Amino acid sequence: DTGVSQDPRHKITKRGQNVTFRCDPISEHNRLYWYRQTLGQGPEFLTYFQNEAQLEKSRLLSDRFSAERPKGSFSTLEIQRTEQGDSAMYLCARSGGLNEQFFGPGTRLTVL
Amino acid sequence: QKEVEQNSGPLSVPEGAIASLNCTYSDRGSQSFFWYRQYSGKSPELIMSIYSNGDKEDGRFTAQLNKASQYVSLLIRDSQPSDSATYLCAVEAGGTSYGKLTFGQGTILTVHP
């Protein structure tokens, strides 16, 4: 158990719909990260939060993507007007000691 | 040029052998290096962290780091079929991107009985 839960675990949606994913670290960790992983590739960084502040966003995070971390606890990642290219595993990670990152189980998104 | 590059796979070794996984990176400011194991359909699991030049051993796993050569490796001794997975090398970005991990594309390891 890495101390990170994600919901939902799987999401199937139609192109053009909005989707929202949630990440809950078991306790309030300083840093929280979002990554995206497509088949056959390593995870790609999307964004990270230090407490409630979003400190960095990847160029991959287009205007259709938004992430929040209210109160510095759980985080949400929303994708508006989904496209087939958004199909991927969305991973959330919490910080650990010595800059380690521990991933949750991920949310697999399929856009039809 | 990829920022983190892993040796192309897939890698197949017999049970009991040593599996050697390699990774090179381009960011000379990187200070933290990680190996993750990922089973099919699952999320990455952290198995090794290394921060200084040399070797770090944990059970059957040994990570090796050479910052001058920008090279990090993972050795798995006495490989078991349960070690069959994709192994991901991750490098923490130096400078202002502190905290962000850049991953290699992964190396698929198969350990056959």
Side-chain angles (χ1 to χ4, degrees), chain A residues 23-105:
Chain A
C23 171
D24 278 274
I26 194 167
S27 60
E28 292 184 8
H29 290 271
N30 190 315
R31 291 182 175 171
L32 186 149
Y33 306 83
W34 285 97
Y35 292 82
R36 180 174 70 184
Q37 186 177 25
T38 54
L39 199 62
Q41 301 298 316
E44 295 175 293
F45 171 81
L46 293 178
T47 189
Y48 91 96
F49 292 86
Q50 183 156 334
N51 300 314
E52 67 275 10
Q54 187 174 18
L55 294 187
E56 185 170 345
K57 292 172 58 173
S58 164
R59 292 188 302 274
L60 294 174
L61 222 60
S62 74
D63 291 345
R64 298 184 297 107
F65 288 72
S66 62
E68 294 182 340
R69 193 183 184 198
K71 302 179 182 179
S73 55
F74 71 93
S75 177
T76 58
L77 178 68
E78 180 183 15
I79 309 174
Q80 296 182 327
R81 305 181 302 281
T82 53
E83 301 173 355
Q84 288 187 324
D86 296 330
S87 295
M89 173 82 88
Y90 289 83
L91 295 161
C92 175
R94 67 165 178 89
S95 59
L98 295 176
N99 303 322
E100 294 174 333
Q101 293 182 27
F102 299 94
F103 286 91

Side-chain angles (χ1 to χ4, degrees), chain A residues 41-42, chain B residues 1-9 20-27 30 33-35 69-74 87-91 102-107:
Chain A
Q41 301 298 316
Chain B
Q1 182 183 359
K2 288 187 177 181
E3 295 180 28
V4 179
E5 197 148 358
Q6 297 186 234
N7 52 324
S8 59
S20 177
L21 305 162
N22 304 313
C23 173
T24 57
Y25 62 94
S26 61
D27 186 350
S30 298
F33 307 87
F34 308 94
W35 284 98
S69 301
Q70 296 174 253
Y71 174 90
V72 58
S73 67
L74 179 70
Y87 288 81
L88 296 162
C89 172
V91 177
T102 301
F103 285 81
Q105 77 277 21
T107 300

Side-chain angles (χ1 to χ4, degrees), chain B residues 27-39:
Chain B
D27 186 350
R28 286 196 171 274
S30 298
Q31 298 296 322
S32 304
F33 307 87
F34 308 94
W35 284 98
Y36 286 82
R37 177 177 62 197
Q38 186 172 29
Y39 293 114

Side-chain angles (χ1 to χ4, degrees), chain B residues 38-94:
Chain B
Q38 186 172 29
Y39 293 114
S40 181
K42 303 296 186 182
S43 63
E45 173 193 7
L46 180 65
I47 55 173
M48 287 291 283
S49 310
I50 188 165
Y51 306 95
S52 54
N53 284 329
D55 296 358
K56 179 182 178 182
E57 186 175 319
D58 184 1
R60 295 185 297 110
F61 299 99
T62 299
Q64 299 173 317
L65 175 62
N66 183 326
K67 291 183 181 179
S69 301
Q70 296 174 253
Y71 174 90
V72 58
S73 67
L74 179 70
L75 299 177
I76 306 175
R77 291 183 302 280
D78 188 24
S79 296
Q80 301 297 310
S82 59
D83 295 326
S84 298
T86 297
Y87 288 81
L88 296 162
C89 172
V91 177
E92 185 179 18

